[in-house]
Amino acid sequence: MNRLFIGFALVLSGVAAAQVAAPERISSTATRPIYADLSRPLEERVEDALSRMSISEKLHIIHAQSKFSSRGVPRLGIPDLWTDDGPHGVRPDVLWDEWEQAGQSNDSCVAFPALTCLAACWDPGIARLYGESLGEEARYRGKSVLLGPGINIYRTPLNGRNFEYLGEDPFLASEMAVSYIQGLQSRGVAACVKHYALNNNEVNRHTTNVVIDDRTLYEIYLPAFKAAVERGGAWSLMGAYNLLGDEHLCHNDRMLNGILKNEWGFDGAVISDWGGCHDTRQAIANGLDLEFGSWTDGLANGASNAYNNYYLADPYLKLIESGEVSTDELDDKARRVLRLIMRTAMDPSYGYGSLCSEAHYDAARRIGDDGIVLLRNEKNVLPIRSREGGKILVVGENAIKMMTVGGGSSSLKAQREVSPLEGIRKAAEGRGMSVDYARGYVGDVSGEYNGVVTGQNLSDSRTPAQLIAEAVEKARDADYVIFVGGLNKSPGQDCEDSDRESLDLPYAQDDVIAALVKANRNLAVVNISGNAVAMPWVKDVPAIVQAWFLGSEAGNSIADVLFGDVNPSGKLPFTFPAKLSDSPAHAMGAYPGVKRDDSPIVDLEYKEGLLVGYRWHDTRKIRPLFSFGHGLSYTDFRLGKASADRRQIADNDSITFTVDVTNTGRRAGAEVVQLYISDPDCSVERPAKELKAFRKVWLQPGETKSVSLTVGRDALSYFDAERHEWVAEPGDFTAHIGTSSDKISSSVKFNLTR
Ligand code: GLC
């Protein structure tokens, strides 16, 4: 282009620009109000915003405006707050005020493994990865609050929502929750830790009044929430539906004001569970900050778009206008919600996240690979030995049924879900092996939740006998038979708002397994569930794998382990009892509670107290089917004799235990060194032993690593309810180091002098 033309072009472009001058923009931060100035301290911004808001505006931000959002302050440019389920992935959008789908095509997600799988990883680093990945998905979807993690303690194997939680031990749940929360919030998305607290079963979940002693409350059911707040820095928390002391947890003075906000210093927002708020005065005075999902006419379905009828809406305004209540509580609630908005939606520094990236699928697969638990492997049936032309038979409905749809509010619209059959087939065919399939049994052929449909047609008119006959026939000449069964996400199984009625596998799966045992010795059972199940065939089946609800990469993770591309390293986060009556809540007749004569309230006394899970089995010497912390490997490990850096400690000293772990096998793998403490001399009853430290360690064949675990006074303490404080009584303690709660390799005595 010649010079003259260039000059001419430049003049023209200058003229054009002058004629369409850019609109006046806020050019300097000097004109930007404090609340919107990111360079100012958070509390200054909160106070500045609050000072500019009317009473009406403050009321607007402390209750829902739609199914999953609450209003910001449009006049001030403070954005609405968007929440969404759930703990394993970002739920698809529903209509403004309906549970039905919005019908969008941009809200599919990566379905990550359920949190029981995460807990089974016994690796806070993986929990961090989980939180970061999920946070990126939520951020991209424009969600500021992710309604998770769920961390309620596994008290009964019948609880429909155990699959969403982190198991039976408060220390394991704490460690995994803290890292998940830190990961999630590092992406600018608030965790909403739930369901605070004592929501340990689904039956009667709105009307159960838990009766519990303080020591059990503080030692078993609060620690994970305390850790989430104090170490995880959770920005929000969800009140539970149930009651304690006849007060609903969503507005329970002792739990919210007394413990959460005063004892623990929680500066975030307490969000009600959807429909968990029942009373304006209690909600005002007892610490609820943000009301969602209310059925303002009691527990029936509320009127559509009746948000002004919410307990913290017009009824609250009337009490203020009448002078019956001050605006002190309102200011505190509004502060907490503003803080939540400014930590998330109003902070652009976190960027835009990312959705359905290969990195997130890789993370989902890694979590599944690391969380799958090899429960039994007699004669090393697994891993599958590839043989050109080898034949594998896969049996069972759970090999083909989509599991990301259903189960309640954690249900998802996964962009993809690799079924166990697909994953096994892909891996086998890559090894020159063929895979055949037999249904084995017909369970639940439905496939819809809240308007999300799987699109699968699982109907099958054959009789159980015909289905078993087909499976047995095909099993006879297979090299391997893989039965994939367990539970599913249907009501009465692993599903919100209902509990199971028995420990048994449903749909007569035991009959199918018994028939396959006779047909082929090379049988592996893959149990897909978020709960323990009875296994009457346990001695007859050489290989058993606990494969959780694994989400998008389910089939690939299961194949990774079955074919040995991954050496399983998962450890059970809860006990598998041999029978239901061996489980503490059931042995003590402490489930599901006793309904009062004159009210819908069901009193449920936690009679087993501290003895939850392995605490019960160890202390009462009741042998479990599979113990807490149990998990096998395709290699072998040896733990040396543990030693301690001292034998006496006092005051706030810590003590370090060291043990050498050697991989004595021929392939790389990981072991989890677990440290349990017992206090046999204590003046009060204590569980036989309690988990107080753990470390997952990866080792090459022949490699030895020295693992050190340090504990302090808090690990020796019990909660003295009378004195309302933690007490470590001087005397002898024992540290038990091993690789599961019932596989202790060495113990070290030490003394606390004062
Ligand atoms: C549900 C669940 C809760 C969920 C909320 C919103 O009832 O109890 O976990 O986050 O409502 O769906």
Side-chain angles (χ1 to χ4, degrees), residues 480-493:
Y480 285 91
V481 178
I482 312 290
F483 176 86
V484 184
L487 305 178
N488 58 38
K489 299 286 194 70
S490 307
Q493 303 229 4

Side-chain angles (χ1 to χ4, degrees), residues 263-312:
E263 282 186 28
W264 299 347
F266 179 62
D267 73 350
V270 174
I271 298 175
S272 74
D273 199 340
W274 269 236
C277 180
H278 300 271
D279 182 283
T280 292
R281 285 178 172 74
Q282 285 193 29
I284 294 168
N286 294 352
L288 179 62
D289 301 307
L290 187 43
E291 177 189 357
F292 269 97
S294 290
W295 302 310
T296 46
D297 60 353
L299 276 181
N301 286 327
S304 179
N305 280 302
Y307 298 102
N308 287 340
N309 296 347
Y310 269 40
Y311 297 97
L312 289 181

Side-chain angles (χ1 to χ4, degrees), residues 92-346:
D93 290 323
V94 294
L95 294 174
W96 184 257
D97 189 47
E98 305 298 337
W99 286 111
E100 285 315 297
Q101 291 301 300
Q104 295 165 201
S105 55
N106 66 343
D107 57 356
S108 298
C109 70
V110 172
F112 294 91
L115 291 196
T116 31
C117 176
L118 176 61
C121 294
W122 288 62
D123 180 353
I126 286 287
R128 173 84 196 203
L129 170 67
Y130 195 124
E132 289 172 353
S133 307
L134 186 49
E136 288 159 7
E137 297 254 323
R139 187 82 183 181
Y140 188 85
R141 286 274 307 281
K143 311 303 179 186
S144 297
V145 181
L146 188 88
L147 303 172
I151 62 172
N152 293 98
I153 290 294
Y154 185 113
R155 173 179 180 260
T156 161
L158 303 186
N159 177 22
R161 289 187 87 170
N162 279 333
F163 75 95
E164 286 189 52
Y165 304 151
L166 293 167
E168 72 187 29
D169 181 81
F171 182 81
L172 176 63
S174 299
E175 296 307 296
M176 300 305 279
V178 164
S179 294
Y180 173 112
I181 293 163
Q182 289 172 342
L184 186 69
Q185 296 187 163
S186 73
R187 293 327 194 241
V189 175
C192 184
V193 187
K194 67 189 188 182
H195 305 82
Y196 180 76
L198 300 166
N199 183 179
N200 304 103
N201 53 265
E202 289 296 293
V203 70
N204 311 319
R205 66 174 174 162
H206 295 280
T207 54
T208 291
N209 178 56
V210 173
V211 179
I212 187 172
D213 65 280
D214 268 15
R215 186 170 166 214
T216 300
L217 176 66
Y218 274 77
E219 288 193 26
I220 302 295
Y221 295 97
L222 290 183
F225 288 102
K226 184 171 190 282
V229 168
E230 293 183 340
R231 291 195 287 133
W235 290 338
S236 73
L237 172 140
M238 185 186 290
Y241 282 132
N242 49 286
L243 301 87
L244 176 69
D246 278 12
E247 220 168 52
H248 282 96
L249 264 299
C250 286
H251 31 72
N252 187 296
D253 184 39
R254 182 182 176 214
M255 292 292 281
L256 297 181
N257 288 332
I259 296 173
L260 178 67
K261 295 180 178 180
N262 296 338
E263 282 186 28
W264 299 347
F266 179 62
D267 73 350
V270 174
I271 298 175
S272 74
D273 199 340
W274 269 236
C277 180
H278 300 271
D279 182 283
T280 292
R281 285 178 172 74
Q282 285 193 29
I284 294 168
N286 294 352
L288 179 62
D289 301 307
L290 187 43
E291 177 189 357
F292 269 97
S294 290
W295 302 310
T296 46
D297 60 353
L299 276 181
N301 286 327
S304 179
N305 280 302
Y307 298 102
N308 287 340
N309 296 347
Y310 269 40
Y311 297 97
L312 289 181
D314 289 353
Y316 191 2
L317 180 59
K318 287 194 176 66
L319 291 176
I320 291 171
E321 287 171 340
S322 69
E324 195 167 334
V325 298
S326 79
T327 55
D328 294 351
E329 292 87 356
L330 175 60
D331 284 348
D332 182 57
K333 297 176 199 300
R335 260 190 205 97
R336 291 171 181 271
V337 174
L338 286 168
R339 200 173 287 139
L340 182 57
I341 295 173
M342 291 180 184
R343 281 171 164 163
T344 56
M346 279 183 84

Side-chain angles (χ1 to χ4, degrees), residues 336-554:
R336 291 171 181 271
V337 174
L338 286 168
R339 200 173 287 139
L340 182 57
I341 295 173
M342 291 180 184
R343 281 171 164 163
T344 56
M346 279 183 84
D347 188 340
S349 67
Y350 293 105
Y352 298 98
S354 55
L355 187 68
C356 296
S357 64
E358 282 313 308
H360 294 168
Y361 283 110
D362 293 346
R365 185 165 181 170
R366 170 74 195 278
I367 296 158
D369 288 350
D370 286 11
I372 287 174
V373 182
L374 180 60
L375 294 175
R376 179 178 159 87
N377 192 25
E378 294 302 300
K379 302 187 187 67
N380 292 324
V381 164
L382 292 177
I384 291 170
R385 283 159 192 77
S386 311
R387 175 177 73 77
E388 192 64 33
K391 292 195 285 188
I392 295 172
L393 174 67
V394 176
V395 181
E397 184 173 279
N398 278 8
I400 59 173
K401 182 178 175 65
M402 280 181 71
M403 295 290 188
T404 55
V405 173
S409 56
S410 62
S411 179
L412 296 171
K413 179 164 81 173
Q415 184 191 56
R416 72 179 188 229
E417 178 178 355
V418 178
S419 72
L421 178 61
E422 288 164 343
I424 293 167
R425 180 162 278 149
K426 190 171 75 177
E429 287 167 356
R431 291 167 166 82
M433 299 177 82
S434 66
V435 174
D436 196 355
Y437 175 70
R439 183 70 174 266
Y441 68 93
V442 175
D444 184 313
V445 298
S446 69
E448 183 274 344
Y449 179 80
N450 245 170
V452 175
V453 294
T454 61
Q456 291 186 300
N457 177 4
L458 298 177
S459 56
D460 191 319
S461 57
R462 289 176 291 173
T463 66
Q466 288 169 324
L467 290 161
I468 290 176
E470 177 206 33
V472 167
E473 182 58 34
K474 291 186 172 183
R476 288 214 171 88
D477 66 345
D479 293 80
Y480 285 91
V481 178
I482 312 290
F483 176 86
V484 184
L487 305 178
N488 58 38
K489 299 286 194 70
S490 307
Q493 303 229 4
D494 280 333
C495 183
E496 178 176 337
D497 205 18
S498 67
D499 287 347
R500 285 194 291 156
E501 289 173 6
S502 120
L503 193 63
D504 298 339
L505 283 175
Y507 318 125
Q509 291 176 64
D510 292 339
D511 298 343
V512 187
I513 294 169
L516 292 174
V517 162
K518 296 193 184 86
N520 191 313
R521 289 298 299 157
N522 262 357
L523 170 63
V525 168
V526 177
N527 179 53
I528 292 180
S529 75
N531 254 313
V533 297
M535 298 183 179
W537 32 263
V538 66
K539 294 290 182 224
D540 305 321
V541 173
I544 305 171
V545 174
Q546 175 62 23
W548 317 98
F549 295 110
L550 298 172
S552 290
E553 291 292 314

